[in-house]
Each structure stands twice: as C-alpha cells, then as structure tokens.
Amino acid sequence: MYTGLKHLHSFMPYVLLTVLILALLKSFIAYQKGQEHTEAHRKNGLIVLILAHLQLTIGLVLYFISPITTSAFTDMGSAMKDSTLRLYAIEHPVVMILAIILITRAYSKSKKNIDDRTKHKIKWVSYLASLVLILSKIPWSVWP
Ligand code: HEM
Ligand code: HEM
C-alpha cells in the first residue's frame, strides 16, 4: 500500500499544479476584464479543490506509514536537527495544509452571495499564495 500511495502522491502534483496554474490565470484574466463569475469558473475551482483534497488525504495516510516520517517520530528531537526529516515531519505537511485551506476557502467564498469581481479576486490571490506555498515545500531533491 505504501508504494502505491507514494507513487500516487508523487504523480498527482503534476495534475494539481497544472489545474491550479490554469485556474489562477483564468481568474486573474476574468478579474482584469471584469467578467461574470460563471458556472464554468465555479467548476474550475471545484476541480482544483477535489485534487487538493485527494492529495491531502493520501498525504495524511503517508504521514503515518512512510518510513521517513515514522523514523522521525521515534526521536523528534534529533529529527528537528535534520533538514530532510524536519521537512517531511513538519514543514511539508503544515505548509501544504495551509495551501489547501486557501484553495478550499477560495472555492467556498466563490459560492457566497458576493460580487463577481470579488470572487475572481479572492480566487486568483488565494491560488497565487497557494502556488507559492506548495512550490516552497515540495521535496525538490527527490521530485520531479
Ligand atoms: C498540495 C499538497 C501536496 C503536494 C503538492 C505534495 C507533494 C509531495 C511530493 C512531490 C512528494 C515527494 C514524492 C516522491 O518522493 O516522489 C511528497 C512526499 C510526501 N508528502 Fe506530500 N504533498 C502535499 C501534501 C501533503 C500533506 C498534506 C501531507 C501530510 C499530512 C504530505 C505528506 C507527505 C509525506 C509523508 C511524504 C514522504 C513520502 C515518502 O517518501 O515516504 N503531503 N509530497
Ligand atoms: C482529510 C480529508 C479532507 C478534509 C479535511 C476535507 C475538508 C473539506 C471541507 C472543510 C470542505 C468544505 C468547503 C466549503 O466550505 O465549501 C470540503 C469540501 C469538499 N471536499 Fe473535502 N476534505 C477532505 C477530503 C476530501 C476527499 C478525499 C474528497 C474527494 C475526492 C473531497 C471532496 C470535496 C468536495 C467535492 C467538496 C466540495 C463540496 C461542495 O461542492 O460544496 N474532500 N472538504
């Protein structure tokens, strides 16, 4: 199970990053042009949200079964002094969860009764912040 989930968690970022960047560009352009927030815009946000939630769910399972994190848990004191172990045990999960909260909040706000320009603005700003957070904590030494 570990190997399968690890591969899935490693493959999904290609799709997630692609749809996130596309949704970011789409909402930025729609914001600039003062376009309506249509059903298609809502669905774009929903696709990003579903992929992010799937990545979160798989990540949470990996967190408790991965040999990297479980070895870090045996001695958290020493793990904190090791930059690789600290990345997997703390920084990667915390920052990725923050990025996913931003994606979820953007989708949630886009369903509220607020004006369309504000919806597009919340979306592109949240997606940009989320993209920066994700890129900052991807384990670049092992991925892509
Ligand atoms: C947007 C969200 C996320 C992205 C884009 C992401 C991306 C990645 C990538 C690219 C790797 C390296 C995979 C490889 O070795 O080929 C990785 C590993 C890992 N991620 Fe995530 N991740 C995300 C969220 C999370 C979350 C929320 C958790 C935990 C709560 C998590 C836990 C882990 C763990 C434990 C590993 C190491 C697995 C191992 O090699 O044993 N990830 N992640
Ligand atoms: C640890 C796992 C998960 C957590 C903590 C979580 C959390 C949430 C939260 C808080 C919302 C509410 C967003 C709002 O205010 O509208 C939400 C919505 C949603 N989640 Fe997740 N989720 C998780 C896993 C999943 C998975 C595995 C999927 C499916 C692949 C999923 C699909 C969705 C969808 C489709 C919605 C939007 C529903 C709507 O249209 O309002 N989530 N999730």
Side-chain angles (χ1 to χ4, degrees):
M1 181 169 94
Y2 165 67
T3 314
L5 288 179
K6 186 179 148 92
H7 281 127
L8 205 55
H9 193 78
S10 179
F11 166 74
M12 291 239 311
Y14 292 109
V15 190
L16 175 60
L17 286 172
T18 308
V19 293
L20 178 62
I21 292 167
L22 289 177
L24 162 60
L25 294 174
K26 256 195 136 168
S27 38
F28 182 70
I29 293 166
Y31 169 75
Q32 288 288 331
K33 292 190 172 167
Q35 288 170 352
E36 210 184 308
H37 188 270
T38 61
E39 182 60 10
H41 288 117
R42 187 192 67 82
K43 283 195 181 138
N44 283 333
L46 181 63
I47 293 168
V48 179
L49 172 129
I50 291 174
L51 287 168
H53 284 198
L54 270 175
Q55 186 69 357
L56 164 71
T57 310
I58 301 164
L60 277 173
V61 179
L62 276 178
Y63 193 68
F64 295 103
I65 63 172
S66 159
I68 306 175
T69 42
T70 45
S71 81
F73 300 153
T74 57
D75 185 356
M76 277 305 255
S78 320
M80 289 306 98
K81 294 188 194 100
D82 179 320
S83 64
T84 306
L85 290 181
R86 196 173 60 236
L87 173 71
Y88 286 111
I90 307 283
E91 295 164 4
H92 179 83
V94 170
V95 173
M96 295 305 189
I97 287 172
L98 270 178
I100 297 165
I101 288 175
L102 286 175
I103 289 171
T104 308
R105 182 179 153 276
Y107 174 74
S108 183
K109 294 258 178 195
S110 79
K111 292 190 302 185
K112 295 266 156 56
N113 194 14
I114 49 175
D115 69 279
D116 288 2
R117 198 172 155 77
T118 311
K119 287 184 184 177
H120 288 307
K121 186 178 176 185
I122 292 172
K123 283 172 86 171
W124 79 258
V125 173
S126 307
Y127 292 157
L128 181 61
S130 175
L131 180 65
V132 171
L133 290 177
I134 293 173
L135 294 181
S136 77
K137 292 300 171 199
I138 277 188
W140 293 111
S141 54
V142 295
W143 194 87

